[in-house]
Amino acid sequence: MATQYGIRGTTAKGIAASVERGVAEGDLGPGVALPPVRRLADELGVSPGTVATAYKELRRRGIVVTRGRGGTVVAAAPAVASRRPPKVPDGLRDLAGGHPDPRLLPALAPPTQLSPGARSHRASPRLERLEDAVRDWLRPDGVPVEHVTFAHGALDLIGRLLAVELRPGDAVAMEDPGYHHLLDLVAALGLRIVPVAVDDEGMRPEALRGALRAGARAVVCSPRAQNPYGGRFSAARRDALVEVLRSEPDVLVVENDHASAIAGAPLRTLTSAGLGRWVHVRTVSKFLGTDLRWAAAACDPVTLARHDGRLLLTSGWVSHLLQATVLGLLNDTTTRALVARAEETYAERRGALLRELGERGIAAHGVSGMNLWVPVRDESAVVNGLRSYGWWIAAGARFRLSSEPGVRISVAELEPADAARLASDFASVLGESEATYGG
């Protein structure tokens, strides 16, 4: 219970502000339970309706969630505080971050011709040459390219679209396990997450059908390099998902192709199947540079109008300097060769660890991308055990909704020569865990 922080206020607005302040300052951490409505009302000398209104506002803004008989608790990723990954302890090999190998990224340099003076680009928010380059990039993969737009990264675009399309309390079908920042974003928008199980081929059709029956108004999925599971759509899986989605033409389908050029798997897109509402999103941060906060998207005309209309009211456009930098890299032959080498290198590193784990009887998943998902019984025991061997990996709890426990290993900087040692240490940790907790 929230006994260490005194909630104050005599109005619904004041009570909500007091709780928000406690969350923002860290006095009310994720999962901390707030007092029951009637008890807090008695303590503050206000009506239960006033407290209920305050809690409703906090729920709407993604700061708290209600768990039925479990009461009202601070959200796992409250909208007033971001969930940062734990700091990597000194001396450990970091395989938790999910970042690309910096040795496989091109050197970033701003364009030599800078925009003269201070002027608005609202009339022409996108560089025409970059639009053409994006169409040339997407078209060979079968993505319709009649309507394209830009954003400040995939999360920026997805967050804007969901905020325009949906209202707090609406349901979104999300991969489980899935990308933790996306899960946090959807929760922070006050939306209800409906988990959809995944396997090596991506979302499971029967699970997606169940999510749509549960009222999901949007679907967010990864066609390849799914994070953290590493799945990718097969042709058969893509067709099966399309059949499910065709029954719900008003549902917005968001296809997040975040790793694209270094995914190590072909794109089998949902967007070419004649769906009513769709958007295909691509970023470049995984293979051109993590500071390039830029995303391209192709979408249906309604989605384009809604996204760009909201963008116009906020930042207005993506920096033309950033656009020019991305354009230069996309057209640079040396950079293209480096990206191709990165895709081959990540596939080699991923395959090496999969083989080494498999030889020791450890099941793992990761047919594309830069991550492996390893099912385990006790995440904490495995994470802490590998820490004692000098490895730092990610516990699966950050990525899971209702799926079974597991851990994520990022292989971007794991040389094949080190894979055997990591697999051997992993097997030792599992043996120690079984000895401690029983096999």
Side-chain angles (χ1 to χ4, degrees):
M1 303 298 291
T3 58
Q4 301 300 315
Y5 178 80
I7 300 173
R8 300 181 179 181
T10 58
T11 65
K13 183 177 180 180
I15 295 168
S18 177
V19 172
E20 181 175 351
R21 184 165 54 252
V23 173
E25 295 176 356
D27 296 313
L28 293 174
V32 170
L34 302 186
V37 169
R38 291 189 177 277
R39 196 179 82 189
L40 183 58
D42 289 341
E43 293 174 357
L44 299 178
V46 300
S47 71
T50 298
V51 175
T53 300
Y55 283 11
K56 181 179 179 180
E57 173 64 15
L58 291 167
R59 285 195 300 273
R60 186 187 69 79
R61 292 167 49 213
I63 297 174
V64 303
V65 295
T66 298
R67 295 178 175 170
R69 294 184 179 180
T72 299
V73 302
V74 177
V80 297
S82 59
R83 176 167 55 171
R84 303 290 182 182
K87 183 180 179 180
V88 181
D90 293 337
L92 297 190
R93 182 81 176 274
D94 182 12
L95 302 179
H99 307 299
D101 186 338
R103 296 169 295 180
L104 296 173
L105 297 175
L108 298 183
T112 56
Q113 296 295 325
L114 305 182
S115 297
R119 57 191 176 89
S120 172
H121 294 299
R122 291 181 188 273
S124 301
R126 296 183 291 275
L127 294 181
E128 185 175 349
R129 288 184 300 154
L130 185 54
E131 283 189 324
D132 292 340
V134 166
R135 289 188 169 95
D136 291 342
W137 185 22
L138 300 179
R139 188 182 293 110
D141 288 327
V143 178
V145 294
E146 183 178 358
H147 305 285
V148 299
T149 190
F150 303 156
H152 305 91
L155 289 173
D156 173 73
L157 183 140
I158 295 171
R160 184 177 296 112
L161 277 178
L162 294 180
V164 171
E165 297 281 342
L166 308 181
R167 295 292 178 267
D170 286 345
V172 181
M174 305 286 291
E175 295 165 331
D176 182 22
Y179 183 40
H180 59 289
H181 288 309
L182 265 176
L183 298 177
D184 291 349
L185 173 63
V186 171
L189 292 171
L191 303 172
R192 178 168 58 91
I193 297 175
V194 182
V196 178
V198 301
D199 57 25
D200 290 332
E201 297 182 72
M203 277 187 166
R204 296 180 180 177
E206 67 278 8
L208 177 59
R209 183 176 289 107
L212 295 176
R213 288 173 177 168
R217 295 187 55 199
V219 177
V220 182
C221 61
S222 303
R224 51 185 172 177
Q226 195 274 345
N227 188 358
Y229 206 87
R232 84 292 181 254
F233 290 167
S234 64
R237 177 60 55 85
R238 178 258 185 197
D239 292 345
L241 292 173
V242 166
E243 286 303 310
V244 173
L245 291 167
R246 278 180 175 155
S247 65
E248 299 287 348
D250 295 328
V251 169
L252 175 64
V253 178
V254 180
E255 191 173 73
N256 181 20
D257 192 21
H258 65 96
S260 61
I262 49 88
L267 175 69
R268 296 184 174 97
T269 181
L270 303 171
T271 64
S272 59
L275 301 178
R277 300 294 313 286
W278 60 272
V279 58
H280 177 91
V281 191
R282 282 193 187 178
T283 60
V284 296
S285 59
K286 295 297 185 185
F287 56 91
L288 294 184
T290 54
D291 268 339
L292 292 177
R293 311 313 300 167
W294 174 86
C299 50
D300 68 85
V302 173
T303 300
L304 176 76
R306 291 180 179 177
H307 173 270
D308 286 7
R310 181 61 61 91
L311 180 67
L312 183 67
L313 296 174
T314 52
S315 59
W317 65 88
V318 176
S319 164
H320 279 209
L321 299 181
L322 176 58
Q323 292 187 46
T325 301
V326 172
L327 177 62
L329 291 169
L330 290 178
N331 289 333
D332 180 65
T333 55
T334 301
T335 298
R336 290 180 177 177
L338 179 61
V339 172
R341 181 160 68 88
E343 181 179 31
E344 294 175 358
T345 301
Y346 293 143
E348 180 184 11
R349 294 173 180 175
R350 186 179 66 248
L353 184 56
L354 280 171
R355 286 192 300 273
E356 294 291 347
L357 290 171
E359 289 177 2
R360 291 161 177 81
I362 302 172
H365 304 274
V367 295
S368 63
M370 300 188 297
N371 301 299
L372 263 62
W373 180 260
V374 186
V376 298
R377 185 173 59 178
D378 189 322
E379 294 177 2
S380 296
V382 172
V383 170
N384 290 327
L386 284 174
R387 176 176 179 174
S388 68
Y389 284 90
W391 305 102
W392 185 247
I393 65 171
R398 302 173 66 205
F399 308 92
R400 295 188 295 109
L401 296 167
S402 58
S403 57
E404 296 297 318
V407 294
R408 190 190 76 170
I409 303 175
S410 296
V411 300
E413 296 186 70
L414 184 70
E415 298 286 353
D418 296 326
R421 182 167 67 89
L422 173 57
S424 177
D425 292 342
F426 204 116
S428 296
V429 167
L430 291 181
E432 294 165 3
S433 176
E434 288 188 1
T436 301
Y437 298 102

